[in-house]
Short mmCIF file of all heavy atoms in Angstrom, two decimals:
data_model
loop_
_atom_site.label_atom_id
_atom_site.label_comp_id
_atom_site.label_asym_id
_atom_site.label_seq_id
_atom_site.Cartn_x
_atom_site.Cartn_y
_atom_site.Cartn_z
N ALA A 346 178.07 52.36 41.45
CA ALA A 346 177.74 53.44 42.34
C ALA A 346 178.53 54.69 41.97
O ALA A 346 177.98 55.82 42.00
CB ALA A 346 177.99 53.04 43.76
N LEU A 347 179.82 54.53 41.64
CA LEU A 347 180.64 55.66 41.28
C LEU A 347 180.14 56.25 39.94
O LEU A 347 180.13 57.49 39.79
CB LEU A 347 182.08 55.23 41.15
CG LEU A 347 182.78 54.80 42.45
CD1 LEU A 347 184.20 54.34 42.19
CD2 LEU A 347 182.75 55.96 43.49
N ALA A 348 179.76 55.42 39.01
CA ALA A 348 179.24 55.93 37.74
C ALA A 348 177.92 56.70 37.98
O ALA A 348 177.70 57.71 37.33
CB ALA A 348 179.03 54.78 36.79
N LEU A 349 177.11 56.23 38.85
CA LEU A 349 175.86 56.90 39.17
C LEU A 349 176.11 58.30 39.76
O LEU A 349 175.50 59.29 39.40
CB LEU A 349 175.01 56.07 40.16
CG LEU A 349 173.62 56.57 40.42
CD1 LEU A 349 172.71 56.41 39.24
CD2 LEU A 349 173.01 55.81 41.64
N GLY A 350 177.08 58.38 40.72
CA GLY A 350 177.41 59.68 41.30
C GLY A 350 178.04 60.61 40.31
O GLY A 350 177.73 61.79 40.29
N TRP A 351 178.87 60.13 39.42
CA TRP A 351 179.48 60.95 38.39
C TRP A 351 178.42 61.47 37.42
O TRP A 351 178.49 62.66 36.99
CB TRP A 351 180.58 60.15 37.63
CG TRP A 351 181.26 60.94 36.57
CD1 TRP A 351 181.03 60.82 35.23
CD2 TRP A 351 182.21 61.95 36.73
NE1 TRP A 351 181.82 61.71 34.54
CE2 TRP A 351 182.58 62.44 35.44
CE3 TRP A 351 182.82 62.53 37.83
CZ2 TRP A 351 183.54 63.42 35.25
CZ3 TRP A 351 183.77 63.54 37.64
CH2 TRP A 351 184.10 63.96 36.37
N SER A 352 177.51 60.66 37.07
CA SER A 352 176.39 61.08 36.17
C SER A 352 175.57 62.18 36.82
O SER A 352 175.20 63.16 36.18
CB SER A 352 175.55 59.91 35.82
OG SER A 352 174.48 60.29 34.91
N ALA A 353 175.25 62.04 38.09
CA ALA A 353 174.44 63.03 38.80
C ALA A 353 175.22 64.32 38.95
O ALA A 353 174.66 65.44 38.86
CB ALA A 353 174.03 62.52 40.17
N HIS A 354 176.53 64.23 39.17
CA HIS A 354 177.36 65.45 39.34
C HIS A 354 177.55 66.17 37.98
O HIS A 354 177.31 67.39 37.90
CB HIS A 354 178.73 65.04 39.88
CG HIS A 354 179.76 66.14 39.76
ND1 HIS A 354 179.71 67.25 40.57
CD2 HIS A 354 180.85 66.27 38.94
CE1 HIS A 354 180.76 68.06 40.29
NE2 HIS A 354 181.44 67.48 39.27
N ARG A 355 177.90 65.45 36.94
CA ARG A 355 178.10 66.11 35.68
C ARG A 355 176.77 66.62 35.11
O ARG A 355 176.75 67.60 34.32
CB ARG A 355 178.75 65.12 34.65
CG ARG A 355 180.20 64.83 34.95
CD ARG A 355 181.05 66.04 34.83
NE ARG A 355 180.99 66.64 33.50
CZ ARG A 355 181.75 66.32 32.50
NH1 ARG A 355 182.68 65.37 32.63
NH2 ARG A 355 181.63 66.93 31.33
N GLY A 356 175.66 65.98 35.44
CA GLY A 356 174.38 66.46 34.98
C GLY A 356 173.84 67.62 35.79
O GLY A 356 172.78 68.12 35.49
N ARG A 363 168.31 64.20 42.74
CA ARG A 363 169.24 63.13 43.15
C ARG A 363 168.50 62.15 44.10
O ARG A 363 168.81 60.93 44.06
CB ARG A 363 170.41 63.75 43.87
CG ARG A 363 171.36 64.54 42.97
CD ARG A 363 172.50 65.15 43.72
NE ARG A 363 173.34 65.93 42.79
CZ ARG A 363 174.42 66.57 43.15
NH1 ARG A 363 174.84 66.55 44.40
NH2 ARG A 363 175.15 67.25 42.24
N PHE A 420 174.48 55.93 48.54
CA PHE A 420 175.85 56.22 48.39
C PHE A 420 176.17 56.77 46.99
O PHE A 420 176.93 57.73 46.82
CB PHE A 420 176.70 54.94 48.64
CG PHE A 420 178.14 55.10 48.34
CD1 PHE A 420 178.97 55.83 49.19
CD2 PHE A 420 178.71 54.50 47.20
CE1 PHE A 420 180.36 55.95 48.93
CE2 PHE A 420 180.05 54.61 46.91
CZ PHE A 420 180.87 55.36 47.76
N GLY A 421 175.60 56.14 45.97
CA GLY A 421 175.89 56.54 44.61
C GLY A 421 175.24 57.80 44.18
O GLY A 421 175.82 58.66 43.46
N ALA A 422 173.96 58.03 44.54
CA ALA A 422 173.18 59.15 44.08
C ALA A 422 173.30 60.39 44.94
O ALA A 422 173.03 61.49 44.46
CB ALA A 422 171.77 58.79 43.90
N LEU A 423 173.68 60.20 46.19
CA LEU A 423 173.71 61.37 47.10
C LEU A 423 175.13 61.65 47.64
O LEU A 423 175.58 62.82 47.60
CB LEU A 423 172.76 61.13 48.30
CG LEU A 423 171.29 60.97 47.96
CD1 LEU A 423 170.48 60.71 49.18
CD2 LEU A 423 170.77 62.19 47.18
N VAL A 424 175.82 60.64 48.14
CA VAL A 424 177.14 60.87 48.77
C VAL A 424 178.20 61.18 47.71
O VAL A 424 178.91 62.18 47.84
CB VAL A 424 177.55 59.59 49.59
CG1 VAL A 424 178.92 59.84 50.20
CG2 VAL A 424 176.52 59.41 50.69
N VAL A 425 178.30 60.34 46.68
CA VAL A 425 179.34 60.57 45.67
C VAL A 425 179.23 61.89 44.96
O VAL A 425 180.22 62.66 44.87
CB VAL A 425 179.36 59.38 44.63
CG1 VAL A 425 180.31 59.66 43.55
CG2 VAL A 425 179.70 58.09 45.35
N PRO A 426 178.07 62.32 44.47
CA PRO A 426 178.02 63.63 43.85
C PRO A 426 178.22 64.77 44.82
O PRO A 426 178.76 65.82 44.42
CB PRO A 426 176.59 63.66 43.25
CG PRO A 426 175.83 62.64 43.95
CD PRO A 426 176.80 61.56 44.35
N ALA A 427 177.85 64.60 46.07
CA ALA A 427 178.10 65.67 47.03
C ALA A 427 179.61 65.86 47.25
O ALA A 427 180.10 66.97 47.32
CB ALA A 427 177.43 65.34 48.37
N VAL A 428 180.36 64.74 47.31
CA VAL A 428 181.82 64.85 47.42
C VAL A 428 182.42 65.46 46.22
O VAL A 428 183.30 66.33 46.30
CB VAL A 428 182.39 63.41 47.70
CG1 VAL A 428 183.91 63.45 47.65
CG2 VAL A 428 181.93 62.86 49.01
N LEU A 429 181.96 65.09 45.04
CA LEU A 429 182.46 65.71 43.81
C LEU A 429 182.13 67.16 43.72
O LEU A 429 182.97 67.96 43.22
CB LEU A 429 181.87 64.95 42.58
CG LEU A 429 182.34 63.49 42.38
CD1 LEU A 429 181.58 62.83 41.23
CD2 LEU A 429 183.82 63.44 42.17
N ASP A 430 180.96 67.54 44.17
CA ASP A 430 180.62 68.99 44.19
C ASP A 430 181.56 69.75 45.08
O ASP A 430 181.95 70.91 44.75
CB ASP A 430 179.16 69.18 44.65
CG ASP A 430 178.14 68.59 43.65
OD1 ASP A 430 178.55 68.40 42.49
OD2 ASP A 430 176.97 68.35 44.04
N ALA A 431 181.86 69.17 46.23
CA ALA A 431 182.76 69.88 47.18
C ALA A 431 184.17 69.95 46.66
O ALA A 431 184.83 70.98 46.77
CB ALA A 431 182.73 69.15 48.51
N VAL A 432 184.65 68.92 46.00
CA VAL A 432 186.05 68.89 45.51
C VAL A 432 186.16 69.82 44.31
O VAL A 432 187.12 70.57 44.21
CB VAL A 432 186.43 67.45 45.12
CG1 VAL A 432 187.77 67.45 44.39
CG2 VAL A 432 186.52 66.61 46.36
N ARG A 433 185.20 69.83 43.42
CA ARG A 433 185.25 70.63 42.20
C ARG A 433 184.62 71.97 42.36
O ARG A 433 184.59 72.78 41.41
CB ARG A 433 184.59 69.85 41.07
CG ARG A 433 185.14 68.48 40.78
CD ARG A 433 184.60 67.86 39.55
NE ARG A 433 184.98 68.54 38.36
CZ ARG A 433 184.55 68.31 37.15
NH1 ARG A 433 183.63 67.35 36.97
NH2 ARG A 433 184.97 68.99 36.10
N ARG A 434 184.05 72.23 43.54
CA ARG A 434 183.46 73.53 43.88
C ARG A 434 182.40 73.95 42.89
O ARG A 434 182.44 75.03 42.29
CB ARG A 434 184.52 74.59 43.97
CG ARG A 434 185.59 74.32 45.06
CD ARG A 434 186.65 75.43 45.08
NE ARG A 434 187.62 75.17 46.14
CZ ARG A 434 188.66 75.93 46.37
NH1 ARG A 434 188.86 77.03 45.63
NH2 ARG A 434 189.50 75.62 47.31
N THR A 435 181.46 73.00 42.69
CA THR A 435 180.31 73.28 41.81
C THR A 435 179.03 73.10 42.60
O THR A 435 178.41 72.00 42.58
CB THR A 435 180.34 72.34 40.59
OG1 THR A 435 180.40 70.99 41.10
CG2 THR A 435 181.51 72.61 39.70
N PRO A 436 178.60 74.06 43.38
CA PRO A 436 177.37 73.92 44.17
C PRO A 436 176.16 73.73 43.27
O PRO A 436 176.09 74.29 42.18
CB PRO A 436 177.29 75.21 44.96
CG PRO A 436 178.11 76.19 44.19
CD PRO A 436 179.17 75.42 43.52
N VAL A 437 175.22 72.96 43.75
CA VAL A 437 173.94 72.66 43.02
C VAL A 437 172.81 73.20 43.83
O VAL A 437 172.75 73.01 45.03
CB VAL A 437 173.81 71.14 42.87
CG1 VAL A 437 172.48 70.80 42.17
CG2 VAL A 437 174.98 70.55 42.07
N HIS A 480 177.32 64.12 28.76
CA HIS A 480 176.19 64.32 29.69
C HIS A 480 175.35 65.52 29.37
O HIS A 480 174.43 65.85 30.14
CB HIS A 480 176.74 64.45 31.14
CG HIS A 480 177.43 63.24 31.67
ND1 HIS A 480 176.87 62.36 32.48
CD2 HIS A 480 178.67 62.79 31.41
CE1 HIS A 480 177.71 61.41 32.75
NE2 HIS A 480 178.81 61.60 32.11
#
Side-chain angles (χ1 to χ4, degrees):
L347 294 177
L349 187 70
W351 180 256
S352 181
H354 166 73
R355 288 298 301 271
R363 292 179 181 180
F420 174 74
L423 299 179
V424 177
V425 174
V428 173
L429 293 175
D430 292 342
V432 172
R433 303 187 68 185
R434 298 179 181 180
T435 53
V437 177
H480 296 259

